[in-house]
Amino acid sequence: MWGACIVFFQAVLLAGYVFAHAFLQRLGILTYLKIHLWFLFFPFFFFPLRDFHLSFSVFSLPLVLDIFWRLIVTIGPVFLVLSTMSLVTQSWLASSHLKERHNPYGLYAVSNLGSFAALLSYPFVFEKFLTNTEQLQIWRVLYFILVLVNVLAWRFIKTEEGRVRHSEGARSATEESKSVLRSFASLRMTENVRWLVLGAAGVVMFLSVTNIITYEVAPVPLLWVIPLGIYLTAFILNFKKNPWCPSWNIRYIGPIIGSQVLMYFLSQKHLLPVLLVIALLCGFLFLICMFTQHQLIQSKPSSSERMTLFYVMISLGGFLGGILTSWIIPLISNTLIEYLVGLLLAALMLPHTPSKAPLWKLCLCVFLAVSAFFVWPHYVKDYHLWSFVLLWVVVWFSFQGLASNKKFFTAVLTGIIFATPVLEPIWQNANFIIKKRNYYGIYEIYDNRDGIRVLVHGTTLHGIEFLDKFRRRIPLGYYSPQSPIGSLLINDTFQAKRVGVVGLGTGTLSMYAKLTCPIDFYELDSDVKSLASEYFWYLAEAPGEVNVILGDARLSLNQAADGTYDLLVIDAFSGDSIPTHLVNRDVFAEYRRKLAPRGGIVFHITNRYLNLEPVLAKIAQDSGAYVAVKDIGDEGINMRSIWCILTWDDERFLNLITKEDWQPLEISPQNQGRIWTDDYSTILPIINMGELAISLKAFKPFTW
């Protein structure tokens, strides 16, 4: 979803840039400023003055298209107007009498600084302390101020047409567009194509690092802020009045790219602490973004009349990079290969070297690089300091030698990309039965040495099952008979005649279905249903009726009759992306309508990085429900899991406490926060970062 949102903003940003570029080239800055002022009032007919309400889609659109459409019909018009501001303001400055007119690109750094400030302040200030409605009111005031500032600037800042656009010699917008098309047709590395590739490389890199961290390293909430913040910081440092980029960053970009390729595979081997892997991935991302943004500012047009085209090409590259990373690669690859593709795009922009290495040296570098990626993981199964040092030295010097010949360098990178399906199993030391990627992430199924089949989604376990046909009906893991949910269903505390479950996984809970108690599963991802049906036996051998209903659980549950379920099981909170629309006061009222009068709602809240107990306790207090929690550790076929139950029935709650070892849950004084609703939620108070530090504390860096 994050990638789909990025693509939307890239698309609308491109549309705004193209709009401003076309009209500025055709009309000039003086005429366009009048249009610009009227254009600023256009959004008042849509977003700022009218409340908008998101509703469930009536169309069966793929996830990314559904998100795209919702954003277009809500904030699309206003963001289109805002996206024109950067080009117009810089052109405005360049045509003015202000002393800063000679370097309008500094405003681009200021713009990115504003984006960076918003990125950091939103989750830690606005989202934490304000509801969505309150945020909207503040935004309205700020937009009015923006319009007022533009009107005042138009009134007091004088401009001259000739400063931006030559009156006689300038090409028309049509001629310039034809020139761009000719450049693409000939596939020459022209200035325009260079801007496009550099724009795409930065976007692909920060999106792919986000994917690697959240899918393969640690599904920690808010980690997506770091890669985007790094991307914006690189723009700020390179486009400010006095650009800054260390010379060694450019000089050693070849081995830096090689080290990033190595980090891609090391992140999958899980030999280094999570925090260290995140730091290395983000550190290398900063270096590659500094390189791409430095190359952009160094190749900026010398004449201000081509400045708008410069930004159009950067935006087009960012849009295409976002489409590639978020929409195309998840459909054609089961790996996070977009990271290597981003490195290849950056490698195409390697600076020219005056002297090329001899052929024998290049061949030696290729041999060393291939040996490092194919041979090292075969022999090194655990962390050893000197083996890591040797590996990094070999990769560094081999890619340093290859960097002297761009063709060899890009050929090696291309070869690694095509070899990734072979390399990844070697580095992961695992033989997957199937690896499936879609817009929700990467699913992997494998059989371990204990005769158990495992389904994982990124780093999150979704279910396990015995391979032995005589034991494959035994529920395992979080859902074993000894688990809180297993014992609850076996003891039939709620005398259930029908059970609803949000989240399918491998379908383990279907083994608790009875002829007198069907179970309905609500699952968002159709691929999960396919994997559970084709590679696990739970659904096929369930002792009672089992139904799998695809789609958003909240929408699907609303279609069920009121009072349908004696027990609702909400099992959708194991990753970093907590679906807050499934755990708040408003949806809780909907859950209660679907419950029988004496029913209960059970939440699976096992999570390494989030503690949902305070959230549920607050909701229970607000709704007048009893709430209890049960935490069972690893024992036999049972895996540690934490479950929370809410009910309004005195007798059944008393049975849970006295006979089934559930513990009453109360709100501690430090957790007296605002209740979650459709209009307000923040995960900051419930984040637990202690898990990240565990692996770092246990790490012994000088192990020989």
Side-chain angles (χ1 to χ4, degrees), residues 225-346:
V225 170
I226 301 175
L228 179 54
I230 289 172
Y231 175 73
L232 294 174
T233 300
F235 266 120
I236 295 168
L237 294 175
N238 284 281
F239 278 75
K240 65 189 182 74
K241 183 178 180 181
N242 299 308
W244 178 83
C245 180
S247 58
W248 58 263
N249 195 160
I250 309 303
R251 187 165 61 251
Y252 295 113
I253 191 61
I256 288 173
I257 290 176
S259 298
Q260 288 183 280
V261 176
L262 180 58
M263 273 309 305
Y264 172 78
F265 293 105
L266 278 177
S267 67
Q268 302 175 36
K269 202 166 179 64
H270 304 297
L271 294 180
L272 300 175
V274 169
L275 277 178
L276 181 57
V277 172
I278 293 173
L280 289 171
L281 285 169
C282 292
F284 282 125
L285 173 64
F286 176 72
L287 296 179
I288 204 73
C289 285
M290 287 295 289
F291 169 75
T292 57
Q293 295 3 346
H294 175 77
Q295 296 298 103
L296 278 173
I297 198 64
Q298 289 298 308
S299 62
K300 69 180 186 294
S302 55
S303 58
S304 55
E305 67 267 13
R306 282 177 56 81
M307 178 178 64
T308 55
L309 178 63
F310 171 66
Y311 286 115
V312 168
M313 298 310 295
I314 294 175
S315 180
L316 177 59
F319 171 68
L320 295 177
I323 286 283
L324 179 69
T325 306
S326 301
W327 290 19
I328 298 176
I329 290 182
L331 297 180
I332 64 175
S333 174
N334 290 325
T335 67
L336 295 167
I337 204 168
E338 59 266 27
Y339 185 81
L340 300 178
V341 173
L343 293 176
L344 178 61
L345 291 174

Side-chain angles (χ1 to χ4, degrees), residues 174-193:
T174 303
E175 291 172 339
E176 189 160 21
S177 299
K178 291 179 180 179
S179 175
V180 173
L181 290 176
R182 285 196 298 270
S183 298
F184 281 115
S186 62
L187 295 177
R188 293 181 291 118
M189 191 58 71
T190 63
E191 192 176 52
N192 297 336
V193 176

Side-chain angles (χ1 to χ4, degrees), residues 319-536:
F319 171 68
L320 295 177
I323 286 283
L324 179 69
T325 306
S326 301
W327 290 19
I328 298 176
I329 290 182
L331 297 180
I332 64 175
S333 174
N334 290 325
T335 67
L336 295 167
I337 204 168
E338 59 266 27
Y339 185 81
L340 300 178
V341 173
L343 293 176
L344 178 61
L345 291 174
L348 293 173
M349 299 294 109
L350 283 174
H352 174 73
T353 53
S355 60
K356 295 184 178 180
L359 182 60
W360 68 267
K361 185 177 180 180
L362 291 171
C363 292
L364 176 61
C365 290
V366 172
F367 173 77
L368 290 174
V370 171
S371 299
F373 290 109
F374 279 90
V375 178
W376 188 88
H378 271 298
Y379 293 97
V380 180
K381 306 299 181 183
D382 301 303
Y383 173 82
H384 299 288
L385 175 62
W386 293 114
S387 65
F388 267 70
V389 171
L390 176 62
L391 174 66
W392 223 296
V393 168
V394 169
V395 170
W396 182 275
F397 282 101
S398 61
F399 276 84
Q400 177 68 23
L402 290 170
S404 64
N405 189 306
K406 188 185 295 186
K407 290 182 179 179
F408 265 80
F409 194 96
T410 54
V412 169
L413 271 182
T414 304
I416 292 174
I417 290 174
F418 282 102
T420 297
V422 177
L423 280 170
E424 283 200 353
I426 298 174
W427 282 82
Q428 294 174 343
N429 195 27
N431 293 314
F432 297 111
I433 297 172
I434 186 174
K435 194 171 183 178
K436 172 70 176 178
R437 183 178 182 185
N438 61 18
Y439 294 129
Y440 298 99
I442 299 176
Y443 298 98
E444 297 168 336
I445 297 177
Y446 63 91
D447 297 339
N448 66 20
R449 297 175 181 176
D450 298 322
I452 292 177
R453 179 159 292 177
V454 181
L455 170 63
V456 292
H457 179 218
T459 59
T460 302
L461 179 69
H462 272 237
I464 56 177
E465 179 185 77
F466 279 125
L467 292 173
D468 182 354
K469 67 179 181 180
F470 298 105
R471 295 189 296 167
R472 65 191 183 197
R473 291 190 176 190
I474 301 174
L476 301 178
Y478 304 133
Y479 317 99
S480 72
Q482 292 79 33
S483 68
I485 187 63
S487 60
L488 190 69
L489 292 170
I490 290 173
N491 296 332
D492 200 15
T493 306
F494 285 84
Q495 301 174 9
K497 296 181 177 59
R498 196 172 199 95
V499 174
V501 181
V502 175
L504 176 63
T506 57
T508 312
L509 287 178
S510 63
M511 299 314 296
Y512 295 102
K514 305 173 185 176
L515 294 176
T516 57
C517 180
I519 294 181
D520 297 331
F521 287 94
Y522 294 89
E523 174 56 47
L524 178 63
D525 190 352
S526 60
D527 284 333
V528 171
K529 178 184 177 182
S530 300
L531 294 173
S533 302
E534 295 176 24
Y535 296 94
F536 294 86

Side-chain angles (χ1 to χ4, degrees), residues 75-301:
I75 65 172
V78 68
F79 188 67
L80 176 65
V81 172
L82 290 174
S83 66
T84 66
M85 291 293 300
S86 179
L87 266 64
V88 174
T89 307
Q90 290 180 69
S91 298
W92 197 346
L93 175 62
S95 66
S96 72
H97 292 277
L98 299 176
K99 62 180 181 179
E100 292 84 3
R101 66 181 181 273
H102 300 296
N103 183 24
Y105 297 96
L107 286 180
Y108 194 62
V110 174
S111 173
N112 280 280
L113 181 61
S115 299
F116 183 76
L119 175 69
L120 291 184
S121 63
Y122 183 78
F124 297 104
V125 179
F126 293 99
E127 186 179 43
K128 182 177 181 180
F129 297 107
L130 301 172
T131 65
N132 293 336
T133 302
E134 292 166 341
Q135 294 170 36
L136 180 59
Q137 298 299 336
I138 292 175
W139 193 94
R140 285 169 173 159
V141 173
L142 293 176
Y143 189 78
F144 275 113
I145 293 174
L146 174 67
V147 173
L148 179 61
V149 168
N150 273 264
V151 172
L152 292 175
W154 176 76
R155 176 68 178 81
F156 293 106
I157 297 178
K158 302 301 181 182
T159 60
E160 290 183 14
E161 191 71 65
R163 290 189 184 274
V164 175
R165 188 180 177 210
H166 300 299
S167 58
E168 296 181 1
R171 291 179 297 173
S172 67
T174 303
E175 291 172 339
E176 189 160 21
S177 299
K178 291 179 180 179
S179 175
V180 173
L181 290 176
R182 285 196 298 270
S183 298
F184 281 115
S186 62
L187 295 177
R188 293 181 291 118
M189 191 58 71
T190 63
E191 192 176 52
N192 297 336
V193 176
R194 183 177 182 81
W195 297 335
L196 183 146
V197 173
L198 287 168
V203 170
V204 172
M205 286 308 302
F206 98 76
L207 284 176
S208 59
V209 169
T210 304
N211 290 341
I212 290 176
I213 291 176
T214 55
Y215 290 167
E216 298 291 343
V217 180
V220 181
L222 297 181
L223 273 189
W224 57 267
V225 170
I226 301 175
L228 179 54
I230 289 172
Y231 175 73
L232 294 174
T233 300
F235 266 120
I236 295 168
L237 294 175
N238 284 281
F239 278 75
K240 65 189 182 74
K241 183 178 180 181
N242 299 308
W244 178 83
C245 180
S247 58
W248 58 263
N249 195 160
I250 309 303
R251 187 165 61 251
Y252 295 113
I253 191 61
I256 288 173
I257 290 176
S259 298
Q260 288 183 280
V261 176
L262 180 58
M263 273 309 305
Y264 172 78
F265 293 105
L266 278 177
S267 67
Q268 302 175 36
K269 202 166 179 64
H270 304 297
L271 294 180
L272 300 175
V274 169
L275 277 178
L276 181 57
V277 172
I278 293 173
L280 289 171
L281 285 169
C282 292
F284 282 125
L285 173 64
F286 176 72
L287 296 179
I288 204 73
C289 285
M290 287 295 289
F291 169 75
T292 57
Q293 295 3 346
H294 175 77
Q295 296 298 103
L296 278 173
I297 198 64
Q298 289 298 308
S299 62
K300 69 180 186 294

